[in-house]
Amino acid sequence: MAARSIWNGTVAFGLMSVPVKLHTATESKTVHFREVHLDDGAKIEHRRFCSKEDKEVPYKDVVKGYEVDPDEYVVLDKDEIAAAAGDGAHRIDVEHFVDAGDIDPVFFDKTYYVGAGKDGAQPYRLLLDALEQTGRAGIGRFTFHDREYLTAIRARDGVLVLHTLRFADELIPGKDIDVASPSRGPGDREVKMAAQLIDTLHERFKPDKYEDEYRAAVLKVVDAKAKGEAIAPDDEPAADDAADLMAALKASLDGAKKGGR
């Protein structure tokens, strides 16, 4: 059964229009915990209360408001919020095409598959083949879930994918991070050995090789606790004294070589 689309619209570039459907490309595998009352094990419920009347408010009576002054809100309904999107609610205008490799990964947010919409098979394939051939990505923007996203559309594994991107002003500049300066910088020999270690550990990225080991460990603990077994954390490993960089680098390099890396 084909995955249900979460957004239908059009990708436009130049005078070309491509009817498309957006599909979820990822799913969270995070272990989720519910809040539970310690005394009786019942789940905790969060309810909506009016801060003025101090009483519970039904969901149907809850609306969205933007605070313009302390405790003063402008209330907007769904249609009024949608009006702000204009054509962007169902249209992605590609403004530029860039080399896909030029997009710094720090800008990537979420990823979606892009399928062909009604009567869109031919223009979809045209855009897909052109992006595959050029290695470029179409940069545009669209409105989704009450906010505008910068987007990058590229070819991957025979389909189009759409990445939502963060805007530049959403990134915290690296210069704002406090990075301690060592009293003595690494010498050429240390840098060379660190590069050797990186080369020794280098291999082609294979995503299937990596699994969420922490999630598996949490589920193992849950299973053990459900069986009535006692759970105790492992002792903290002793901290390594890495003051001697050369010694640490040499030991790491020797260990990587012995490990067959």
Side-chain angles (χ1 to χ4, degrees), residues 4-256:
R4 182 173 176 269
S5 62
I6 59 174
W7 182 89
N8 296 344
T10 302
V11 173
F13 61 103
L15 299 178
M16 295 289 298
S17 294
V18 185
V20 296
K21 296 180 178 181
L22 221 58
H23 303 271
T24 300
T26 61
E27 61 177 332
S28 173
K29 297 290 187 178
T30 302
V31 177
H32 294 283
F33 292 92
R34 296 292 300 268
E35 291 182 324
V36 178
H37 188 194
L38 179 62
D39 290 345
D40 57 20
K43 67 180 181 181
I44 299 296
E45 295 182 355
H46 292 268
R47 302 185 179 185
R48 300 170 178 83
F49 275 80
C50 175
S51 59
K52 183 177 181 179
E53 300 178 352
D54 193 28
K55 69 177 184 180
E56 189 174 352
V57 179
Y59 180 75
K60 65 180 180 63
D61 291 338
V62 177
V63 296
K64 292 186 176 182
Y66 184 85
E67 189 171 18
V68 292
D69 283 309
D71 296 326
E72 183 178 341
Y73 300 87
V74 172
V75 175
L76 298 177
D77 61 29
K78 290 183 178 180
D79 291 337
E80 291 169 330
I81 294 175
D87 292 340
H90 295 283
R91 182 181 175 92
I92 302 174
D93 285 306
V94 175
E95 301 173 18
H96 307 96
F97 288 94
V98 303
D99 290 332
D102 286 348
I103 305 174
D104 191 316
V106 73
F107 287 98
F108 288 114
D109 185 17
K110 293 184 178 180
T111 301
Y112 300 90
Y113 286 123
V114 182
K118 183 179 180 182
D119 300 325
Q122 186 172 0
Y124 178 95
R125 186 55 188 265
L126 175 63
L127 178 59
L128 172 63
D129 290 351
L131 291 179
E132 281 185 333
Q133 182 176 329
T134 61
R136 292 178 181 168
I139 304 297
R141 62 186 75 206
F142 84 131
T143 305
F144 187 53
H145 288 169
D146 297 336
R147 65 159 291 183
E148 182 180 71
Y149 290 91
L150 190 66
T151 64
I153 299 174
R154 67 183 182 93
R156 181 182 185 273
D157 293 340
V159 296
L160 293 176
V161 294
L162 180 147
H163 303 284
T164 56
L165 306 176
R166 298 177 178 90
F167 288 98
D169 62 0
E170 294 180 300
L171 299 184
I172 298 174
K175 62 182 179 60
D176 291 348
I177 306 303
D178 183 18
V179 179
S181 298
S183 57
R184 181 188 70 84
D188 292 342
R189 189 179 173 204
E190 292 167 329
V191 174
K192 184 177 180 180
M193 187 166 287
Q196 281 184 291
L197 177 59
I198 291 173
D199 285 340
T200 303
L201 297 174
H202 174 263
E203 63 178 46
R204 184 177 179 182
F205 178 60
K206 301 174 182 176
D208 292 344
K209 183 177 180 179
Y210 307 96
E211 297 180 356
D212 189 340
E213 297 177 353
Y214 175 72
R215 183 183 69 204
V218 170
L219 292 176
K220 184 177 179 180
V221 168
V222 170
D223 183 61
K225 188 68 179 290
K227 294 177 180 176
E229 300 176 13
I231 307 298
D234 295 332
D235 294 332
E236 289 286 337
D240 292 331
D241 183 5
D244 189 342
L245 286 179
M246 283 300 296
L249 285 168
K250 188 175 185 306
S252 299
L253 194 57
D254 290 343

